[in-house]
Amino acid sequence: MKYETVIGLEVHIELATNTKIFCSCSAHSFGAEPNTHTCPTCLGMPGTLPVLNKKVVDYAIKAGQMLGCKINHVSHFDRKSYFYPALPSAYQITQYFSPIATDGEVEIDTTYGKKRVRIAQIHMEEDAGKLVHDIKHGLSHVDYNRAGVPLLEIVSYPDLSSAEEVEAYLERLKTLLRYARVAECEMAHGTMRCDVNISVRSAGSDTFGVRTEIKNMNSIDAIKRAIEYETARHIDAVENGTEVLVQETRRWDDIKGKSFAMRTKETAGDYRYFPDPNIMPVVIDDTWFEQIQSTLPEFPEVKLARYTEEFGLPEYDAKRLCESIALCECFEEANAVCKNAKDAANWMISDVMKTLNARQMTYDMLALSGQSLGKLIALVSGGKVSRPNGRKILDAMFDDGSVDPETFAKENNLIISTDTGLVDKVIQDAIAADPKAVADFKGGKEKALMALFGKCMKELRGNCNPQELRTLLIEAINKTN
């Protein structure tokens, strides 16, 4: 019998706000000392009251619009009651009865063509703290830095049917939310986590099988392996009776490549949801909604089409640029200054992106001024700075965002020399110092010319036009006896 896998995802996105959702503590604690980003509110101390961070709502509206959702102009916060050591108040403030956004849809590319994945809802909520298990000493430590960090939970319908589709869906979410600049979506930093709901059924059947939830997956590779393992486990149970499948929550052990039961799956009733009495309803009027809507970015595929049609870029170049909104913004700013889209794209792909990779920075971490890059490109294309020296200036711009390329070039003697007397002297000195290379070139050995050329470039520190230098060098050699 043939089976098909049915997958729905609950994706938790950490919003890129400066402060937490209900207090003024910093929301950026990755790598910080434990329990240094806390206060009585996010520690759940008695008598404290939550104050909603408006920026969280702004980002939630923006995310909902990017994912094609209907934005509910009135939504509420609710309490989800459960005991967990890293949840200090013994309840999580979330949205259950009336979330911020519903009925969305994103399109993904798969091996079999495009596919639409429906989004049931997006809701705002607070994160819990983090348990750190010390196996050596048999202890568990609690770090509350993450408690109260704002999250969006994006709940999809069970429209996915393979690990490949799950990966494509997660990458699409990541791209759209990064374009909107509402989230980092970096699984390695814990700012994007995923619960995978999976079951199998006979191919063509409309009846769902027994569902398993795999909690807190934090890498796409682990998610893919877990899906493959769970699919095989479910099919084996159905076909061979190896176990009785029950609706449960399981954890994934990436080292062993297996999942293990944690607890039977709770129902909504187990959480005792009720409206949070301390937080007023969120009412979004038309002015607020339109203000957020006006800040939405151009979608990646729209940018791609515009870059190829308006700027005449090859599709490969356009696709590379559209990998990140930061790359796109830098490219467009640079092009506006240098007025040469192809040059700007070449610098972005061959120099800027390589520099980011060498510094182990993601594309979204790019903070380079596009205007300054445009000035640098104009200096190089205008013959004022050589390309090698242009790369030196680019490195300086990465090190210090305030560097002006022309000022830096002048202060560091990187401007191409217009002193023809100096160039002639350097050429004559190189010829006089290496008569063998001169004789070899005259005898037809092209490499000999490159040796002389290299010596001249070194002496001039690259501050000359390479083509002009080569021409002058050949002319000077031909005049020798």
Side-chain angles (χ1 to χ4, degrees):
M1 181 182 293
K2 290 186 177 181
Y3 295 91
E4 63 182 14
T5 309
V6 180
I7 304 168
L9 298 183
E10 298 167 15
V11 183
H12 297 83
I13 303 294
E14 187 176 301
L15 293 176
T17 57
N18 290 325
T19 54
K20 295 184 179 181
I21 187 170
F22 298 121
C23 68
S24 60
C25 290
S26 171
H28 304 290
S29 60
F30 182 76
E33 287 295 313
N35 299 307
T36 55
H37 293 200
T38 58
C39 72
T41 299
C42 56
L43 288 175
M45 297 293 184
T48 57
L49 293 173
V51 178
L52 178 60
N53 182 348
K54 180 178 178 294
K55 184 63 73 173
V56 172
V57 185
D58 289 346
Y59 282 8
I61 297 170
K62 202 169 186 178
Q65 290 179 306
M66 291 297 292
L67 302 181
C69 293
K70 170 193 170 186
I71 304 300
N72 296 319
H73 285 242
V74 178
S75 64
H76 301 80
F77 281 94
D78 307 294
R79 291 186 181 182
K80 179 182 181 181
S81 301
Y82 63 96
F83 176 78
Y84 183 63
L87 190 68
S89 58
Y91 62 82
Q92 179 188 36
I93 301 177
T94 183
Q95 292 187 304
Y96 178 71
F97 296 106
S98 55
I100 186 74
T102 54
D103 303 321
E105 185 178 80
V106 296
E107 188 175 76
I108 62 173
D109 292 314
T110 73
T111 304
Y112 305 101
K114 294 189 178 298
K115 181 173 185 176
R116 295 186 180 277
V117 181
R118 296 170 300 154
I119 294 172
Q121 69 177 54
I122 299 175
H123 57 263
M124 301 175 283
E125 63 185 19
E126 62 178 346
D127 204 351
K130 180 181 180 181
L131 288 177
V132 181
H133 302 292
D134 184 346
I135 299 175
K136 181 179 179 180
H137 298 97
L139 299 172
S140 290
H141 306 278
V142 186
D143 179 5
Y144 288 110
N145 279 343
R146 207 169 64 186
V149 167
L151 298 179
L152 288 186
E153 182 170 343
I154 303 169
V155 183
S156 80
Y157 283 100
D159 292 343
L160 299 160
S161 56
S162 68
E164 177 210 7
E165 290 182 3
V166 168
E167 180 177 12
Y169 172 71
L170 291 174
E171 290 295 341
R172 181 62 174 169
L173 291 186
K174 186 186 299 185
T175 297
L176 291 175
L177 296 179
R178 282 179 171 175
Y179 258 67
R181 293 195 180 279
V182 300
E184 179 193 34
C185 296
E186 187 60 62
M187 283 190 155
H189 295 171
T191 55
M192 183 179 190
R193 307 190 296 275
C194 184
D195 298 342
V196 180
N197 292 287
I198 184 171
S199 63
V200 298
R201 65 185 178 189
S202 301
S205 172
D206 293 329
T207 303
F208 291 117
V210 177
R211 176 166 57 96
T212 293
E213 180 182 30
I214 311 171
K215 294 288 287 185
N216 287 329
M217 305 296 294
N218 56 14
S219 80
I220 288 178
D221 182 62
I223 290 169
K224 292 166 68 175
R225 293 179 66 206
I227 289 172
E228 290 164 1
Y229 173 84
E230 279 298 301
T231 299
R233 186 178 74 87
H234 279 233
I235 292 174
D236 192 35
V238 171
E239 285 196 336
N240 303 316
T242 52
E243 61 180 299
V244 177
L245 295 175
V246 296
Q247 184 171 316
E248 63 183 350
T249 299
R250 298 176 72 88
R251 68 173 179 86
W252 174 251
D253 188 319
D254 205 40
I255 296 175
K256 295 180 179 178
K258 295 181 178 182
S259 68
F260 296 90
M262 291 174 62
R263 58 181 181 268
T264 55
K265 178 62 180 170
E266 298 92 343
T267 62
D270 295 321
Y271 291 120
R272 305 295 191 269
Y273 286 102
F274 69 92
D276 192 298
N278 294 326
I279 306 174
M280 296 293 289
V282 178
V283 180
I284 303 165
D285 60 21
D286 291 341
T287 301
W288 187 1
F289 179 82
E290 290 165 7
Q291 186 272 322
I292 298 299
Q293 192 171 43
S294 68
T295 66
L296 293 180
E298 196 173 33
F299 275 65
E301 52 272 19
V302 177
K303 273 193 185 296
L304 178 63
R306 183 164 65 84
Y307 285 2
T308 55
E309 294 168 10
E310 181 181 331
F311 296 139
L313 295 181
E315 187 174 355
Y316 172 81
D317 290 2
K319 282 184 176 179
R320 292 299 309 277
L321 293 173
C322 289
E323 289 178 27
S324 162
I325 187 64
L327 294 177
C328 291
E329 289 176 349
C330 188
F331 160 73
E332 292 182 22
E333 289 175 5
N335 179 54
V337 174
C338 72
K339 309 297 182 184
N340 190 321
K342 185 58 181 172
D343 266 3
N346 285 341
W347 272 86
M348 291 297 302
I349 294 168
S350 63
D351 295 286
V352 172
M353 293 168 77
K354 285 182 179 178
T355 303
L356 287 168
N357 289 332
R359 295 178 179 228
Q360 297 183 325
M361 298 168 65
T362 67
Y363 295 157
D364 288 321
M365 293 168 68
L366 178 66
L368 182 70
S369 164
Q371 292 182 346
S372 295
L373 178 62
K375 291 179 183 178
L376 175 59
I377 294 169
L379 287 174
V380 174
S381 62
K384 292 185 177 181
V385 172
S386 68
R387 186 64 184 257
N389 283 342
R391 294 191 185 97
K392 293 178 183 177
I393 297 171
L394 181 66
D395 275 334
M397 291 162 61
F398 264 88
D399 292 335
D400 182 353
S402 65
V403 166
D404 176 75
E406 187 166 10
T407 302
F408 184 89
K410 289 177 179 177
E411 291 176 348
N412 292 273
N413 299 317
L414 300 178
I415 298 291
I416 288 178
S417 175
T418 57
D419 184 348
T420 55
L422 174 62
V423 174
D424 287 340
K425 183 180 183 305
V426 168
I427 289 173
Q428 292 302 327
D429 288 347
I431 289 173
D434 198 346
K436 183 178 185 303
V438 172
D440 287 346
F441 175 67
K442 284 186 170 183
K445 295 181 179 180
E446 185 69 23
K447 287 184 178 179
L449 176 67
M450 295 310 298
L452 292 168
F453 177 82
K455 291 177 181 178
C456 292
M457 286 293 287
K458 182 178 180 181
E459 185 65 25
L460 291 166
R461 298 183 61 193
N463 297 329
C464 60
N465 185 298
Q467 292 301 323
E468 289 183 11
L469 177 64
R470 187 177 188 279
T471 301
L472 292 172
L473 181 59
I474 293 173
E475 289 176 356
I477 291 173
N478 289 335
K479 290 178 182 178
T480 59
N481 295 324

